[in-house]
Amino acid sequence: CEDSMASPSIRRGQLSQKQQQSVKKRYYQLLRSFSDKVQHSWIDIDDQLLSVVQNIVSIRSRLRQEWSLLNSPMIRKKAEWEATTEERNRSKPLSLDAQDGGDPSSWKYFGFQGKPREDTCSFHLLSSDVRLALLHDLDQHEKMIAGLRTLMSNLAECHDSLGRLVGNVWQYHLESGALFQRDKEGQECFEDDDKDYRTYESIVQGINEVFDMLSMELYRKQCLAPGVIDSTGDELLDSKDGYYDDNGFGDDRDSLQIALECCKSWPRKSGCSLVNEQRMFAVLNMGNQ
């Protein structure tokens, strides 16, 4: 049996102190590298994605309000009055009272106490203000959608990098296993080496378990993101009947409902998440021991 071994130094129980320290150091280096990438890359990107989705929900809710207000009879009438007043101001200089629409009482709104409490805020809201807010939110929504695409791509790349790191862990685990292998004919067992090997085995299994959880979580979010991205047509402003393409494929939910449901199910602590954070951080913190 001894002839079948590569050298006496790789037989179980014959690890030198230097070999034991080298093996332990390498295992914990790999664990810390994995932990750092998960906590400072994968989780950071995922948190940024949640923030983007929350911003999309906020913008879509404002777009509905702005579009509805811009098309309301009150704003249309006010827009006509603004256009008439502007045309009149161009044709001939007017007094300060006339520039305010011929209403001398308008000066009362510039006093120390400001606007009377009973007056509605719509008095000061111009149609151009609403239109400007609408255009700004549309521009911000487009940027958020672009950011969502970019971050999803970054998350996938980060996960690929994690996969390569897990491959390195398994490769080293198989190579170092020769240093701890049992002699087929019952070679003497050393308790300390056996304990170390069980520790390293738990590290590798823990890393693999965390990677499996993150893989399933990535797939789940890759299914959520397209729904938000695809629901950006004309129905973004006022439709509540869902969206459908030319082939009849689509969703019965409107764009705001889709973004809201995505936002609720996105966090890792949500009921839809496939990540057990307690178990994940227990594995990642093994490198701090």
Side-chain angles (χ1 to χ4, degrees):
C1 181
E2 292 181 1
D3 294 336
S4 63
M5 306 292 288
S7 67
S9 62
I10 67 172
R11 284 184 293 178
R12 178 178 174 77
Q14 294 190 353
L15 289 177
S16 66
Q17 188 69 21
K18 184 176 181 180
Q19 284 177 312
Q20 292 174 3
Q21 291 177 353
S22 177
V23 170
K24 181 178 180 180
K25 181 179 179 180
R26 181 57 178 159
Y27 270 106
Y28 280 94
Q29 280 180 341
L30 290 168
L31 175 58
R32 283 191 288 269
S33 296
F34 179 81
S35 175
D36 183 71
K37 194 141 192 85
V38 171
Q39 296 188 71
H40 300 121
S41 294
W42 205 103
I43 291 179
D44 281 355
I45 296 173
D46 186 48
D47 289 341
Q48 291 177 47
L49 280 164
L50 175 60
S51 179
V52 168
V53 174
Q54 290 172 337
N55 287 334
I56 289 174
V57 170
S58 177
I59 292 172
R60 288 187 179 184
S61 63
R62 293 200 304 270
L63 286 173
R64 290 278 174 83
Q65 297 172 1
E66 292 159 357
W67 180 255
S68 176
L69 186 60
L70 195 60
N71 287 275
S72 66
M74 179 186 68
I75 291 293
R76 289 181 180 177
K77 184 177 180 181
K78 192 168 182 61
E80 294 174 0
W81 177 83
E82 291 170 9
T84 303
T85 303
E86 186 178 353
E87 184 64 28
R88 205 165 53 215
N89 289 340
R90 281 204 202 98
S91 62
K92 103 184 202 184
L94 299 176
S95 65
L96 291 175
D97 289 342
Q99 290 178 18
D100 290 323
D103 183 9
S105 64
S106 62
W107 279 100
K108 66 183 178 181
Y109 301 120
F110 294 89
F112 176 74
Q113 294 182 346
K115 178 172 61 67
R117 184 176 299 175
E118 69 275 5
D119 190 70
T120 61
C121 62
S122 61
F123 184 88
H124 294 287
L125 189 62
L126 303 178
S127 60
S128 58
D129 295 331
V130 180
R131 190 176 297 106
L132 184 62
L134 177 65
L135 293 175
H136 173 75
D137 281 338
L138 284 171
D139 182 60
Q140 291 301 309
H141 185 271
E142 185 176 349
K143 291 179 180 178
M144 290 297 107
I145 292 297
L148 181 60
R149 289 194 181 100
T150 301
L151 288 172
M152 285 301 300
S153 176
N154 292 345
L155 187 63
E157 290 178 2
C158 177
H159 197 76
D160 287 342
S161 178
L162 268 183
R164 291 191 292 271
L165 185 54
V166 172
N168 292 338
V169 171
W170 274 106
Q171 181 179 358
Y172 181 74
H173 185 57
L174 293 174
E175 291 174 353
S176 62
L179 301 174
F180 295 94
Q181 65 183 344
R182 294 179 181 274
D183 190 280
K184 293 182 181 180
E185 301 202 1
Q187 187 176 334
E188 182 182 0
C189 178
F190 288 78
E191 184 177 351
D192 290 342
D193 285 350
D194 192 56
K195 181 179 177 181
D196 289 342
Y197 185 74
R198 288 199 302 268
T199 300
Y200 304 147
E201 185 76 20
S202 66
I203 288 176
V204 175
Q205 294 298 335
I207 287 175
N208 196 64
E209 184 180 352
V210 172
F211 182 71
D212 286 345
M213 286 192 291
L214 294 179
S215 298
M216 292 185 291
E217 184 72 358
L218 174 62
Y219 175 75
R220 184 179 74 87
K221 291 177 177 179
Q222 285 176 332
C223 294
L224 288 174
V228 178
I229 295 172
D230 294 340
S231 59
T232 54
D234 295 337
E235 73 285 343
L236 190 63
L237 297 176
D238 62 344
S239 173
K240 296 185 179 181
D241 299 326
Y243 70 95
Y244 297 91
D245 59 20
D246 296 336
N247 298 320
F249 295 101
D251 200 309
D252 292 333
R253 302 166 297 170
D254 64 27
S255 59
L256 181 57
Q257 289 175 333
I258 292 172
L260 274 170
E261 292 178 13
C262 178
C263 185
K264 289 179 181 178
S265 61
W266 193 279
R268 295 181 303 278
K269 293 183 180 180
S270 71
C272 301
S273 177
L274 300 172
V275 174
N276 183 339
E277 286 203 321
Q278 183 177 2
R279 171 58 181 161
M280 179 177 72
F281 285 110
V283 173
L284 300 181
N285 290 332
M286 289 173 66
N288 300 328
Q289 298 176 358

